[in-house]
């Protein structure tokens, strides 16, 4: 998993003082664990930083745990990835061309000040976000303007169809009162979400209390404490000693063995992250489609996902996985592990004895280590005569090199709000935001994806989504290894909690027994 720098001494002392640093101690007695729970807090640990309280300045994917609790949005993304109205009375009405969204707002939503949330607040929040929000570029690519039509009606105009913008809200946005100086949100929570902050020590601890006036009803858990523990093994130790109730991560090898204990429960689901290896199709060797197909067919995804990552990456040769509404098993088989097919493509490329290329990998990686998978890929490719050299770079340098086109292929894990509504757009559209992949693009792919984005209903958008995936498979734009799982472990007796498709921990329905 993600491996930030070790906990500094000051942070360690603060956590230890709060009884929240277990550093490998043996599990405490039942009496000690009961005493630790006497304060009534459900305590959850996350790996990423908690540097501020601003819902729009998304510093890392773990940070999303906080705005989910403290802010509300027009639409809420449920842990299973489906959408539900929140501030909106119902899902929006959408024009036939997919460019106009109209929302009717609830009239009982209150900010902490007591002010009623209305269309003025929604318009102000979006227009300010488009100027200052961390992910504003993602929205600007599609969202043209926002208009109030009466006190409780809001209309959004899009420059291009993109139903996926609603998926982004829970993770990257949050409605604020009109006129708010957004810079003050670093230290103050002004959202209409189910919790308010009662204590904040940056990158150490945040304590929250349920708002009795939350418009969807008071949350089941009265008090929640978020602590930042920047090491997966230390998070697990704190869970085992009873100092925390839910952990955001642990070493993959420890996940299933820990669940053998009667004290703990846990779950893992394919999330909005993917381990994949884009090709640079602009230059040799991967301007040759048969060489791309040879590499894709030579990768043993099952071994990588199940043995290297202990089942916490779900293998798939295409961006979707089995069970998702837009998955196509026949397309997945076209790029599945098949060494004989890899050799066929080498012969078709005129290189029956193989070829050599360099794979650039980030070290350290986020979420799972790319280096471990790259070694297996290297061995798989050697079996069919392909020599894959590994070039290690820090993540920032790797991205800069990719932007310059200085790469041949780079295997890496990536996390986003969704696969079909983010990765498919940002990586492969002709207007793609990830410029290292905005290479040879396809008008046909764009047409299919925009057709899918014109639609909200999953059944209706499935055919054009599958046609878009078919293009990616036919052109073999990348090697897709598998989908990153969101996985958590928690103490037995906690109810209402499950991992979220968006990766960020969603504690809205969690309750401490």
């Amino acid at each position: 998993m993600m491996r930030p720098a070790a906990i500094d001494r000051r942070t360690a002392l603060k956590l230890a003082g709060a009884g929240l640093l277990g550093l490998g101690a043996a599990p405490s007695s039942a009496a000690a664990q009961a005493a630790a729970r006497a304060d009534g807090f459900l305590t959850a640990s996350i790996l990423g930083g908690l540097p501020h309280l601003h819902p729009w300045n998304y510093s890392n994917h773990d940070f999303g745990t906080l705005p989910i609790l403290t802010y509300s949005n027009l639409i809420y993304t449920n842990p299973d990835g489906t959408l539900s109205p929140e501030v909106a009375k119902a899902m929006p009405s959408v024009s036939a061309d997919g460019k106009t969204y109209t929302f009717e707002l609830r009239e009982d939503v209150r900010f902490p000040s007591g002010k009623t949330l209305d269309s003025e607040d929604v318009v102000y929040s979006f227009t300010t976000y488009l100027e200052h929000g961390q992910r504003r570029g993602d929205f600007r690519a599609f969202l043209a303007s926002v208009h109030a039509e009466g006190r409780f009606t809001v209309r959004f105009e899009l420059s291009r169809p993109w139903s996926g913008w609603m998926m982004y809200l829970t993770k990257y946005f949050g409605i604020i009162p009109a006129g708010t100086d957004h810079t003050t949100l670093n230290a103050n929570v002004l959202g209409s979400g189910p919790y308010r902050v009662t204590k904040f020590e940056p990158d150490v601890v945040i304590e929250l209390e349920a708002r009795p006036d939350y418009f969807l009803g008071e949350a089941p858990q009265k008090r929640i404490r978020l602590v930042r523990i920047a090491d997966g093994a230390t998070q697990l130790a704190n869970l085992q000693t009873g100092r925390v109730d839910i952990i955001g991560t642990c070493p993959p090898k420890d996940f299933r063995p820990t669940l053998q204990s009667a004290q703990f429960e846990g779950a893992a689901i394919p999330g909005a992250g993917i381990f994949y290896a884009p090709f640079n199709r602009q230059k040799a060797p991967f301007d040759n489609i048969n060489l791309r197909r040879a590499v894709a067919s030579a990768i043993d995804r099952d071994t990588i996902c199940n043995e290297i990552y202990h089942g916490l990456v779900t293998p798939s040769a295409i961006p979707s996985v089995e069970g998702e509404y837009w998955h196509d098993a026949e397309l997945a088989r076209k790029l599945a592990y098949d060494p004989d097919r890899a050799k066929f493509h080498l012969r078709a490329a005129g290189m029956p004895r193989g070829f050599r290329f360099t794979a650039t990998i980030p070290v350290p990686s986020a979420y799972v280590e790319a280096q471990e998978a790259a070694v297996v890929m290297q061995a798989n490719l050697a079996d069919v005569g392909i020599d894959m050299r590994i070039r290690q770079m820090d993540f920032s340098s790797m991205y800069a090199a990719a932007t310059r086109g200085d790469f041949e292929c780079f295997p890496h894990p990536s996390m986003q709000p969704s696969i079909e509504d983010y990765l498919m757009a940002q990586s492969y559209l002709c207007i793609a935001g990830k410029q290292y992949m905005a290479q040879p693009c396809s008008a046909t792919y764009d047409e299919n994806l925009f057709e899918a984005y014109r639609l909200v209903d999953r059944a209706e958008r499935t055919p054009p989504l599958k046609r878009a995936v078919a293009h990616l498979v036919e052109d073999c734009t990348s090697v897709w290894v598998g989908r990153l799982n969101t996985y958590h472990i928690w103490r037995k007796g906690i109810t209402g909690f499950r991992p979220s498709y968006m990766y960020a921990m969603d504690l809205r329905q969690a309750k401490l027994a």
Side-chain angles (χ1 to χ4, degrees):
M1 295 299 292
M2 186 168 18
R3 296 181 185 174
I7 305 171
D8 60 60
R9 186 173 183 273
R10 175 176 171 271
T11 301
L13 289 172
K14 284 189 174 184
L15 288 170
L20 292 167
L21 194 61
L23 294 178
S28 59
S29 66
Q33 291 188 32
R37 302 275 66 80
D39 58 12
F41 278 92
L42 184 155
T43 301
S45 68
I46 65 172
L47 203 64
L50 294 168
H52 54 73
L53 302 175
H54 202 313
W56 300 351
N57 294 341
Y58 210 87
S59 55
N60 61 83
H61 288 279
D62 283 306
F63 176 81
T65 300
L66 178 65
I68 288 172
L69 294 173
T70 52
Y71 283 83
S72 58
N73 283 285
L74 293 168
I75 299 297
Y76 173 66
T77 303
N78 299 295
D80 66 359
T82 59
L83 302 176
S84 299
E86 188 178 9
V87 169
K89 287 182 179 179
M91 296 299 288
S93 62
V94 184
S95 63
D97 64 3
K99 294 183 180 180
T100 301
Y101 284 66
T102 303
F103 294 85
E104 298 294 332
L105 307 182
R106 297 175 62 109
E107 301 180 15
D108 59 349
V109 182
R110 303 285 185 274
F111 289 110
S113 65
K115 178 189 181 302
T116 298
L117 186 154
D118 59 21
S119 56
E120 180 184 6
D121 303 305
V122 175
V123 172
Y124 178 82
S125 297
F126 274 92
T127 54
T128 306
Y129 184 94
L130 289 174
E131 290 297 319
H132 303 286
Q134 182 106 3
R135 302 302 293 258
R136 60 187 178 276
D138 296 340
F139 283 89
R140 280 177 164 177
F142 298 89
L143 186 59
S145 59
V146 190
H147 308 274
E149 296 189 338
R151 188 179 179 192
F152 294 104
T153 303
V154 183
R155 174 171 53 85
F156 291 77
E157 297 292 344
L158 278 62
S159 56
R160 302 178 181 88
W162 184 41
S163 53
W165 72 277
M166 294 185 292
M167 284 286 296
Y168 282 49
L169 300 180
T170 298
K171 192 165 188 177
Y172 294 141
F173 191 61
I175 300 171
I176 64 175
T180 300
D181 177 356
H182 78 95
T183 62
T184 65
L185 301 178
N186 286 321
N188 299 284
V189 170
L190 302 180
S192 55
Y195 284 85
R196 66 184 185 91
V197 171
T198 58
K199 180 180 180 180
F200 171 46
E201 293 184 38
D203 275 335
V204 177
V205 62
I206 298 177
E207 293 182 355
L208 306 102
E209 184 175 64
R211 290 180 54 193
D213 60 342
Y214 177 55
F215 57 95
L216 293 178
E218 186 173 358
Q221 176 61 34
K222 181 71 172 175
R223 295 182 179 88
I224 290 176
R225 177 186 291 119
L226 302 178
V227 297
R228 195 261 178 121
I229 300 176
D231 177 79
T234 306
Q235 287 202 39
L236 181 58
N238 274 269
L239 179 75
Q240 293 170 332
T241 57
R243 290 177 172 87
V244 300
D245 302 300
I246 303 174
I247 59 174
T249 188
C250 71
K253 66 180 178 60
D254 295 326
F255 177 71
R256 300 199 187 282
T258 301
L259 297 185
Q260 300 304 309
S261 168
Q263 301 177 56
F264 306 119
E265 294 182 287
I269 63 168
I274 194 164
F275 191 105
Y276 71 137
F279 293 116
N280 187 337
R281 293 168 287 143
Q282 298 278 48
K283 60 184 183 181
F286 293 122
D287 56 349
N288 185 317
I289 190 170
N290 279 297
L291 296 184
R292 301 198 297 269
R293 290 173 176 169
V295 172
S297 300
I299 303 303
D300 185 352
R301 297 166 180 83
D302 286 344
T303 294
I304 292 172
C305 296
N306 295 322
E307 296 186 21
I308 301 300
Y309 297 132
H310 302 274
L312 295 176
V313 176
T314 299
S316 182
I318 60 176
S320 61
V321 293
E322 186 176 353
E324 287 188 301
Y325 72 95
W326 56 295
H327 185 65
D328 189 318
E330 183 59 35
L331 285 175
R333 280 192 285 272
K334 290 186 176 183
L335 294 179
Y337 177 51
D338 187 338
D340 289 335
R341 184 165 55 200
K343 293 175 183 178
F344 167 82
H345 287 304
L346 287 175
R347 291 193 297 270
M351 296 185 181
R353 296 184 180 180
F355 68 104
R356 175 181 295 168
F357 75 96
T358 298
T360 304
I361 63 169
V363 178
S365 301
Y367 317 110
V368 295
E369 281 299 336
Q371 184 175 13
E372 299 172 24
V375 171
V376 176
M377 293 172 66
Q378 188 178 54
N380 291 158
L381 292 165
D383 287 342
V384 298
I386 300 173
D387 179 9
M388 184 182 99
R389 296 181 172 184
I390 296 174
R391 177 173 69 162
Q392 300 182 358
M393 301 179 72
D394 67 89
F395 197 84
S396 296
S397 299
M398 182 203 74
Y399 243 65
T403 302
R404 297 191 304 269
D406 178 20
F407 78 102
E408 293 178 340
C409 175
F410 68 97
H412 71 292
S414 176
M415 188 67 65
Q416 46 268 317
S418 78
I419 299 297
E420 66 271 38
D421 292 303
Y422 182 89
L423 181 94
M424 297 277 286
Q426 290 292 320
S427 297
Y428 306 110
L429 280 175
C430 291
I431 60 165
K434 293 184 177 179
Q435 294 305 315
Y436 55 83
M437 294 182 216
Q439 304 174 40
C441 57
S442 164
T444 301
Y445 173 83
D446 286 15
E447 289 169 7
N448 281 309
L449 204 57
F450 284 132
E451 174 65 14
Y453 289 172
R454 184 179 64 83
L455 305 163
V456 176
D457 181 79
R458 285 184 166 186
E460 292 179 348
R461 72 201 309 244
T462 294
L465 270 178
K466 287 185 175 181
R467 289 195 296 270
V469 174
H471 167 78
L472 299 182
V473 170
E474 180 64 27
D475 197 33
C476 198
T477 58
S478 309
V479 176
W480 296 282
V481 175
R483 287 280 290 281
L484 308 183
N485 283 199
T486 304
Y487 63 96
H488 301 299
I489 305 175
W490 55 92
R491 293 196 310 112
K492 185 153 285 190
I494 290 174
T495 60
F497 177 73
R498 287 295 181 269
S500 172
Y501 168 79
M502 295 187 300
Y503 184 79
M505 193 183 294
D506 188 337
L507 297 168
R508 283 192 175 194
Q509 297 302 315
K511 181 172 176 56
L512 186 67

